[in-house]
Amino acid sequence: MQDTILFDLDGTLLPMDQETFIRAYFTQLIKRFAPLGYTKEELTGGIWKGTYAMIANDGTMTNRERFWQVFSALVAHDLDGLEAQMDDFYAREFDKVREITHPNGLARPIIDTLKAKGYTVVLATNPVFPRVAVQTRLSWIGLKLEDFAWVTTYETSHFCKPNPRYFEEILKTIGKTPDKCRMIGNNTDDDMSAATLGMETFLVNDFLENEKQLDLAAFPHGTLEDVKNWAEALPALG
């Protein structure tokens, strides 16, 4: 019987359009760091290449280490203190990006319902951001890091979706097997890749991401409202 539910964040618990989010994110990032001498090209190029490096990470270092390894080689500035400034950005200016999101009041009830019934709840967001950035995004839907048994961030993760080893690392950390878990997300590639381990999945299609134009009939799917109804119908554990 399943006792653990994994949730994606962006586009799933946090309703948003990914492209709109990226534009708003870079707008705030450039506003913060351009006065310090960083060009738009440096910032966007460095962030993207660092992100791609994390997605391709082979587990020999954390995603945080991989990102800064790549980013530091591309930015022609003194990087002393830059990581701390980045964390400060994610705690402050990044909060303005909430204006492009579409909170619908469902996330908090879903998480509260599952926890009240004894289920382990994991935030399986792609770990390409630091912990503070995840914390800020969670605040937009009335949630906190502490609401989850485990949260994947770039400081502690060694892989990214859609690499199955990302999910293996989560399972090892929380001491669960795939048959005990269900992954809920909005991306047919990243989130549904959990099925390769034998994990059940559910595709949230409110803000669907389906770059490969896969047949949705291949996945159990529905809205976040459907997830709420499903959670309410689950039996309590224990």
Side-chain angles (χ1 to χ4, degrees):
M1 182 178 179
Q2 291 175 359
D3 60 15
T4 302
I5 315 300
L6 287 67
F7 285 95
D8 174 55
L9 180 56
D10 299 338
T12 303
L13 287 177
L14 173 57
M16 65 158 68
D17 174 77
Q18 188 73 8
E19 290 186 7
T20 305
F21 167 76
I22 290 170
R23 286 196 298 271
Y25 162 51
F26 277 120
T27 295
Q28 294 302 325
L29 189 73
I30 291 163
K31 282 183 180 180
R32 169 67 183 263
F33 289 97
L36 302 179
Y38 295 91
T39 67
K40 176 181 178 180
E41 291 72 24
E42 275 183 314
L43 288 168
T44 57
I47 292 289
W48 275 122
K49 289 181 180 179
T51 299
Y52 292 142
M54 288 188 284
I55 291 171
N57 201 0
D58 61 1
T60 54
M61 61 180 69
T62 64
N63 289 348
R64 170 186 169 270
E65 292 167 329
R66 184 71 71 192
F67 173 82
W68 286 103
Q69 178 190 62
V70 172
F71 187 85
S72 62
L74 296 169
V75 178
H77 289 270
D78 181 3
L79 297 179
D80 185 41
L82 180 58
E83 184 174 0
Q85 291 188 55
M86 282 283 194
D87 285 350
D88 185 68
F89 161 78
Y90 286 121
R92 298 175 185 271
E93 291 91 342
F94 186 52
D95 190 56
K96 297 175 184 177
V97 178
R98 75 162 66 205
E99 297 173 357
I100 61 89
T101 63
H102 307 272
N104 54 21
L106 295 174
R108 173 97 256 174
I110 289 170
I111 301 305
D112 286 347
T113 296
L114 290 170
K115 291 176 66 178
K117 292 184 175 185
Y119 290 84
T120 298
V121 183
V122 171
L123 188 67
T125 180
N126 221 4
V128 296
F129 282 103
R131 186 174 177 86
V132 62
V134 178
Q135 178 175 281
T136 296
R137 301 205 310 286
L138 281 172
S139 73
W140 301 344
I141 47 175
L143 291 169
K144 300 178 294 184
L145 294 166
E146 294 76 19
D147 290 317
F148 300 88
W150 181 247
V151 177
T152 54
T153 68
Y154 88 161
E155 291 96 340
T156 57
S157 299
H158 297 76
F159 307 97
C160 284
K161 307 176 207 175
N163 189 338
R165 296 181 71 184
Y166 163 78
F167 293 103
E168 290 176 349
E169 186 171 40
I170 293 175
L171 295 175
K172 182 178 180 180
T173 299
I174 64 175
K176 299 290 183 177
T177 55
D179 59 299
K180 296 290 187 182
C181 303
R182 175 176 294 228
M183 176 66 202
I184 298 175
N186 71 314
N187 189 296
T188 56
D189 192 29
D190 286 355
D191 302 315
M192 299 302 99
S193 65
T196 63
L197 300 183
M199 196 181 299
E200 288 192 17
T201 61
F202 185 84
L203 180 67
V204 176
N205 56 21
D206 300 87
F207 289 86
L208 178 69
E209 294 174 17
N210 187 17
E211 291 183 2
K212 296 180 180 178
Q213 297 298 303
L214 301 179
D215 182 2
L216 299 189
F219 315 103
H221 61 276
T223 66
L224 194 60
E225 180 74 39
D226 292 329
V227 175
K228 178 176 178 291
N229 294 337
W230 168 78
E232 291 173 346
L234 282 175
L237 299 178

